[in-house]
Amino acid sequence: MKKYFIFFILIIAFFCKKEEKKQNFIFILVDDLGWTDLGYSGSTFHETPNIDALRKVRIQFTNAYASSPVCSPTRAAIMTGKHSARVNITDWIPGLSLKNKKLKTPEDLFELPLKENTLAESFKKNGYHTFFAGKWHLGKEDFHPEQQGFDINKGGYHKGSPRGGYYSPYDNPKLKDGSKAEYLTDRLTSESIRYIDSIKKNPFFLFLSYYTVHTPIEANKKHLKKFEDKLAAIKNTDSIYKKEGAGTTTLKQQNAEYASMLYALDENVGRIVKKIKDDGLYENTTIIFT
């Protein structure tokens, strides 16, 4: 993990110092994405043509790991370059009640400390504009993206799932409601595109942190029928489940609602790539998708 982040920082330092025209950086983080959920990673039911296409022209890291299997610790690690245990966040915030357990558990922080140096703060020191859209889940008021180096925050606050669901009204204090037909994944991408339009020639660091595909599983209505029809054409739709701890995992991908969420995600990754290509920024922009 440490080597991975050192390598990432060295890449940033190289582009910031060696090139007259600074690289732009777009970091796309997808919440709770399964390791075989994408077309190129093995799914035959889900469809992700834009992400698959991006993978073909970029470097794929097949031996890189998140610092934790849950969201807040992983996000803290990405933001700081430190293992999550070093910032004292080892469970999702505020985590599960761990009273009366056989083993003593850590006394976790419920926010990313302001004393930590974040990626956004490092970029700002190097003359970058910084933008955050989507899920934050690293602390309540006074610990939001605006306090951690981001010039603009659209949708990032302490909740880990979309409190109002994926359709407006969002019940999100950091994101104004849209029309009733507006889908959250589309909206976060639109906010990111508007940001790119606003900064003109200034170098930028854009952190697009989708809430999708975190629960609630709420279908994208525009794409749902496509996958309902696909499911109907499959002869054997018997479910296969496996118990894992307190949860149950399905071993067969056949959820049309979930597939429509992934298709909407892919569509929006395609929108971002098209935007930077149309604006002539593609060759000067590093995209990280994870």
Side-chain angles (χ1 to χ4, degrees):
M1 188 68 183
K2 184 178 179 182
K3 291 179 180 178
Y4 173 76
F5 278 109
I6 289 174
F7 177 67
F8 182 53
I9 294 299
L10 285 174
I11 291 175
I12 294 171
F14 174 80
F15 284 121
C16 287
K17 294 180 179 179
K18 296 297 183 182
E19 293 192 357
E20 291 183 8
K21 188 176 181 182
K22 292 181 178 179
Q23 279 276 307
N24 302 306
F25 289 86
I26 298 176
F27 195 107
I28 301 173
L29 178 61
V30 184
D31 197 35
D32 284 356
L33 184 67
W35 70 282
T36 59
D37 275 351
L38 304 175
Y40 82 81
S41 64
S43 180
T44 56
F45 184 62
H46 306 151
E47 296 181 21
T48 54
N50 290 296
I51 298 172
D52 296 350
L54 187 63
R55 172 251 182 175
K56 290 179 181 178
V57 296
R58 297 282 170 165
I59 300 169
Q60 181 184 356
F61 293 91
T62 57
N63 196 28
Y65 294 84
S67 70
S68 171
V70 290
C71 49
S72 298
T74 297
R75 291 163 189 277
I78 290 170
M79 280 294 158
T80 63
K82 295 181 178 181
H83 192 279
S84 51
R86 291 183 61 205
V87 293
N88 208 32
I89 300 174
T90 62
D91 198 0
W92 60 274
I93 297 172
L96 297 171
S97 175
L98 297 175
K99 296 178 181 179
N100 302 317
K101 295 294 183 179
K102 292 182 179 180
L103 298 176
K104 186 176 181 180
T105 57
E107 294 292 332
D108 275 338
L109 295 178
F110 289 172
E111 64 280 321
L112 181 64
L114 298 180
K115 67 181 181 180
E116 297 291 345
N117 186 52
T118 67
L119 268 179
E121 288 167 339
S122 294
F123 273 110
K124 282 182 69 66
K125 289 174 185 176
N126 282 279
Y128 280 74
H129 283 239
T130 56
F131 175 87
F132 185 91
K135 174 174 173 173
W136 179 245
H137 206 186
L138 285 173
K140 294 185 177 182
E141 289 289 344
D142 299 325
F143 294 92
H144 284 166
E146 307 95 300
Q147 286 79 42
Q148 301 282 16
F150 288 97
D151 295 315
I152 300 173
N153 168 28
K154 297 291 184 179
Y157 70 124
H158 71 282
K159 289 292 185 181
S161 61
R163 190 162 60 184
Y166 282 94
Y167 280 96
S168 186
Y170 301 118
D171 194 18
N172 184 324
K174 296 294 182 178
L175 193 67
K176 292 181 180 179
D177 292 333
S179 68
K180 289 184 178 180
E182 183 181 77
Y183 197 67
L184 180 57
T185 309
D186 298 336
R187 170 66 177 278
L188 295 175
T189 306
S190 296
E191 293 287 357
S192 299
I193 288 173
R194 278 193 283 271
Y195 170 73
I196 295 172
D197 283 335
S198 72
I199 57 172
K200 299 178 181 178
K201 295 183 179 180
N202 294 306
F204 63 86
F205 171 53
L206 190 160
F207 199 107
L208 179 50
S209 177
Y210 287 113
Y211 280 95
T212 197
V213 289
H214 195 289
T215 52
I217 303 304
E218 190 168 358
N220 183 288
K221 298 171 185 175
K222 183 171 63 173
H223 302 308
L224 179 58
K225 189 176 186 303
K226 171 184 176 69
F227 292 96
E228 288 178 334
D229 291 346
K230 191 171 184 177
L231 183 61
I234 298 174
K235 293 181 179 179
N236 181 9
T237 58
D238 293 338
S239 296
I240 303 174
Y241 297 103
K242 179 183 178 182
K243 287 288 293 181
E244 291 188 316
T248 303
T249 297
T250 178
L251 303 181
K252 186 182 287 186
Q253 294 175 341
Q254 56 183 25
N255 187 319
E257 290 81 6
Y258 185 79
S260 74
M261 294 177 75
L262 272 172
Y263 198 71
L265 164 71
D266 182 80
E267 181 180 53
N268 280 284
V269 170
R271 289 176 64 199
I272 288 290
V273 174
K274 182 178 186 302
K275 173 62 179 174
I276 61 173
K277 284 183 176 180
D278 290 348
D279 286 5
L281 300 173
Y282 184 71
E283 297 301 329
N284 196 50
T285 301
T286 295
I287 300 172
I288 298 101
F289 175 91
T290 187

